[in-house]
Amino acid sequence: MGRGIGVALIGQRFMGRAHANAYLKVVPFFDPPLKPVLRVVCGRDEESLPDFARRFGFAEWTTDWGEAVVHGGVELVDICAPNDLHAEIAIRAAEVGKAVFCEKPLARDLAEARAMLEAVERAGVPHMVCFNYRFFPAVRLARKLIREGALGEVRQFRAIYLQDWLVDPSFPRTWRLVRARAGSGALGDTAVHIVDLARFVVGEIAEVVGNLATFVRERPLPDGSGMGKVDVDDAAAFLARFEDGVIGVFETTRMATGRKNFMHLEVNGSRGSLFWNAEEPNVLWLHSLDDPAAARGFRRIVVTEPEHPYAGHWWPPGHVLGYEHSFVHAVYELLIALAEGRTPEPNFQDGVRAQAVLEAVLLSAAERRWVAVDEVMGG
Ligand code: SOE
């Protein structure tokens, strides 16, 4: 039995549940060197919070995040709150010496993301951003194969991330549709994942040219008091040039009727190609010119063998993993790093870098021109 680490979870909705589940599963399946101790959960819904605490095994609950952060038994603050609270909570947690695990996007904009990075570095506390898609075994295998040269020289990267939960114009104007609260729309919510994956599997993005659209400009306010303005993007598309010359195509939308969580990544190189889709997450497709010509085609690799990343901790081969496992793997890496006293990956540096790409896309769309990521970084 390893040492315990007290956790404060801030957020009780979709991501709060995903993270709470990860803390519960990581111990029996991964036996991490540090065991999460679920001290306190914080949320705004006072009615359902005690039930959340009971179901997931949190000792206490509170509606005051400030209280959760300074809690004497807490060493790790896990931020699953809306985007406009990320910076305030993370900076406060760093100031009181707590490690910080934060949902994506790191912040509403680059300046805020940088302030968060500065705060955790100044305080010397470990930090991580939850780009959970990095932790699917097939995504990690894709990265490994690319690094080992299985595709030859990498030339093209393309990613689409399509959802449809905003197609209905009567869907309420929640915080995700308000720039002051979310920072941006599909760009920060979903494009940020494919930007991070591009950096993870291929490399740094040097410049972009982008285009944004808002199709439904007014929506019913959640409290029923009338209509409210939507001032974020419903869809975003951009081209990219990577630092090493790879060209990239990115598209994201929450208006692709029929698409639910359709994230498709594809990489083409001089000797092969691979692709992956988050709706079939256990499968990596690989094409190689090194295969015999008569038997050449896309190979369907079911990434559940014991030699595949994380897979051996779960079930026998072919017994597939799902969305929630990516969070368990992320938390596992976090706990190993914390036990070793270091900052894991992806961390706030990655969060800042992804945010800089989004900011470059926003500037590019506003000024209708290519924008170098260094320009927004001030480099
Ligand atoms: C909503 O678009 C959402 O929940 C995102 O916020 C998540 O990051 C993504 O993984 C699934 O869709």
Side-chain angles (χ1 to χ4, degrees):
M1 180 74 189
R3 191 168 77 76
I5 177 165
V7 178
L9 177 68
I10 320 288
Q12 68 186 100
R13 302 279 185 218
F14 182 13
M15 282 308 111
R17 294 170 70 226
H19 288 220
N21 174 64
Y23 292 120
L24 293 181
K25 294 285 160 59
V26 72
V27 173
F29 285 92
F30 286 82
D31 195 22
L34 268 184
K35 314 288 181 213
V37 181
L38 305 183
R39 297 271 188 226
V40 54
V41 59
C42 172
R44 282 169 307 172
D45 181 357
E46 217 169 336
E47 244 169 64
S48 64
L49 201 50
D51 191 48
F52 183 105
R54 180 187 60 78
R55 283 173 186 238
F56 288 99
F58 283 84
E60 296 169 43
W61 58 268
T62 174
T63 54
D64 175 357
W65 65 257
E67 196 181 284
V69 166
V70 298
H71 189 297
V74 166
E75 292 155 274
L76 169 66
V77 175
D78 182 340
I79 307 171
C80 295
N83 300 353
D84 55 328
L85 288 172
H86 288 190
E88 211 183 336
I89 302 175
I91 292 169
R92 177 74 183 126
E95 278 169 2
V96 293
K98 311 290 169 90
V100 190
F101 183 34
C102 187
E103 256 305 319
K104 51 49 62 177
L106 183 57
R108 289 173 291 188
D109 59 32
L110 181 58
E112 207 173 48
R114 280 180 145 161
M116 293 167 77
L117 174 61
E118 203 184 290
V120 290
E121 287 186 339
R122 193 182 328 115
V125 296
H127 45 96
M128 184 173 187
V129 184
C130 190
F131 284 125
N132 65 297
Y133 291 92
R134 282 193 185 202
F135 298 93
F136 280 96
V139 169
R140 285 186 118 72
L141 180 61
R143 179 183 201 240
K144 182 168 179 282
L145 291 171
I146 290 171
R147 294 194 157 201
E148 288 170 359
L151 305 190
E153 178 197 293
V154 176
R155 293 171 172 164
Q156 295 171 82
F157 174 90
R158 70 185 67 77
I160 54 177
Y161 192 174
L162 315 177
Q163 300 182 338
D164 73 352
W165 54 277
L166 282 180
V167 165
D168 180 355
S170 67
F171 185 94
R173 196 202 64 165
T174 63
W175 68 267
R176 287 186 187 278
L177 295 157
V178 179
R179 179 184 296 247
R181 299 208 58 202
S184 64
L187 194 66
D189 187 29
T190 46
V192 74
H193 279 302
I194 50 181
V195 165
D196 181 66
L197 291 179
R199 296 185 57 247
F200 186 58
V201 301
V202 172
E204 291 299 349
I205 294 168
E207 52 180 341
V208 294
V209 61
N211 184 18
L212 305 172
T214 306
F215 304 114
V216 178
R217 299 194 163 271
E218 270 199 333
R219 289 179 179 274
L221 293 168
D223 64 4
S225 65
M227 299 294 279
K229 190 168 172 266
V230 172
D231 58 358
V232 297
D233 53 288
D234 287 327
F238 57 98
L239 303 177
R241 222 186 310 276
F242 288 69
E243 282 178 359
D244 55 6
V246 173
I247 64 164
V249 182
F250 296 75
E251 186 194 1
T252 196
T253 172
R254 304 189 282 202
M255 294 281 206
T257 313
R259 296 298 194 190
K260 300 303 168 187
N261 201 43
F262 191 92
M263 180 196 291
H264 176 97
L265 307 179
E266 183 159 326
V267 186
N268 311 122
S270 56
R271 300 290 309 157
S273 291
L274 56 76
F275 71 89
W276 177 76
N277 192 298
E279 289 187 350
E280 201 188 8
N282 295 274
V283 174
L284 182 67
W285 295 86
L286 176 69
H287 182 277
S288 172
L289 292 181
D290 297 329
D291 288 344
R296 211 174 278 157
F298 271 96
R299 252 185 273 157
R300 184 175 186 273
I301 306 171
V302 180
V303 193
T304 55
E305 299 294 324
E307 39 283 300
H308 289 141
Y310 309 118
H313 288 271
W314 295 102
W315 316 115
H319 295 72
V320 291
L321 305 186
Y323 177 68
E324 72 275 25
H325 297 88
S326 64
F327 293 90
V328 182
H329 305 158
V331 161
Y332 177 49
E333 297 294 350
L334 171 63
L335 293 169
I336 294 176
L338 292 178
E340 293 171 358
R342 60 175 174 83
T343 282
E345 280 181 7
N347 53 52
F348 283 19
Q349 300 267 10
D350 299 287
V352 165
R353 192 71 204 183
Q355 206 88 45
V357 174
L358 306 185
E359 202 115 316
V361 173
L362 285 166
L363 182 60
S364 159
E367 299 189 354
R368 304 171 75 89
R369 65 176 176 91
W370 278 88
V371 173
V373 177
D374 277 352
E375 180 183 332
V376 297
M377 288 286 279

